[in-house]
Amino acid sequence: EVQLVESGGGLVQPGRSLRLSCAASGFTFEDFAMHWVRQAPGKGLEWVSSITWNSNNIGYADSVKGRFTISRDNAKNSLYLQMKSLRTEDTALYYCAKERIVGGSFDYWGQGTLVTVSS
Amino acid sequence: QSALTQPRSVSGSPGQSVTISCTGTSNDVGRYNYVSWYQEHPGKAPKLMIYDVNKRPSGVPDRFSGSKSGNTASLTISGLQAEDEADYYCCSYAGRYTSVFGGGTKLTVL
């Protein structure tokens, strides 16, 4: 059974940093691209970032480019999102999602970890 | 990276069909056959319903179908059931390892 378990969320002040993790199991992690998707309270889904299986190719939403860094450790079956210079508008539930094969569709999602940016 | 445009809400009675549109640009929906649709019930993680414009993952009822014409993709749900009431989001690959979601559509089953 595929499982994605996010962690690392919490309350953080504007301008500070936070690192999210996603532990994957139930599939061959190193074979698949992975993504972060977020959802602000009461709002829609927003794609945040992606990383290919070998970390050679990475993409970011304009809203986080230069502030967030995605990475993965295939030996640990883990995905990460380093978030710096956090803003109040980054407050959201952050989901880790597995790409189906290619083309940016997400066939498995975690339950999310909540990041609240507030002073 | 502008969000894809979806109607904020649609509704239909049990047994009827509804279609949700998703309009992008020639840089995303119009360029790639990588449009996907997600169903989200309150408090739950999104669920993949359609991928690659018109393909259904295993376990998704064939009442759900997808299509695309130009810069607009569509999700059609036929034979509406009460459990279909949810938020629906489209998503398109937008090149350079980026993706973009639509703003979401709330489906109400009357």
Side-chain angles (χ1 to χ4, degrees), chain B residues 18-100:
Chain B
V18 294
T19 296
I20 301 171
S21 61
C22 169
T23 301
T25 70
S26 58
N27 292 321
D28 37 63
V29 175
R31 177 168 294 184
Y32 305 101
N33 287 324
Y34 290 140
V35 176
S36 51
W37 290 89
Y38 302 86
Q39 177 191 66
E40 186 183 45
H41 285 112
K44 300 289 189 181
K47 176 185 177 182
L48 177 65
M49 304 302 285
I50 295 288
Y51 67 93
D52 295 356
V53 176
N54 56 14
K55 297 179 174 59
R56 273 179 291 105
S58 174
V60 172
D62 59 6
R63 303 185 294 103
F64 292 83
S65 63
S67 62
K68 189 185 88 166
S69 177
N71 296 339
T72 298
S74 299
L75 172 71
T76 297
I77 309 170
S78 59
L80 267 180
Q81 299 182 2
E83 58 261 36
D84 298 334
E85 184 163 295
D87 293 327
Y88 290 84
Y89 295 88
C90 62
C91 182
S92 176
Y93 180 67
R96 294 196 168 193
Y97 303 95
T98 68
S99 295
V100 59

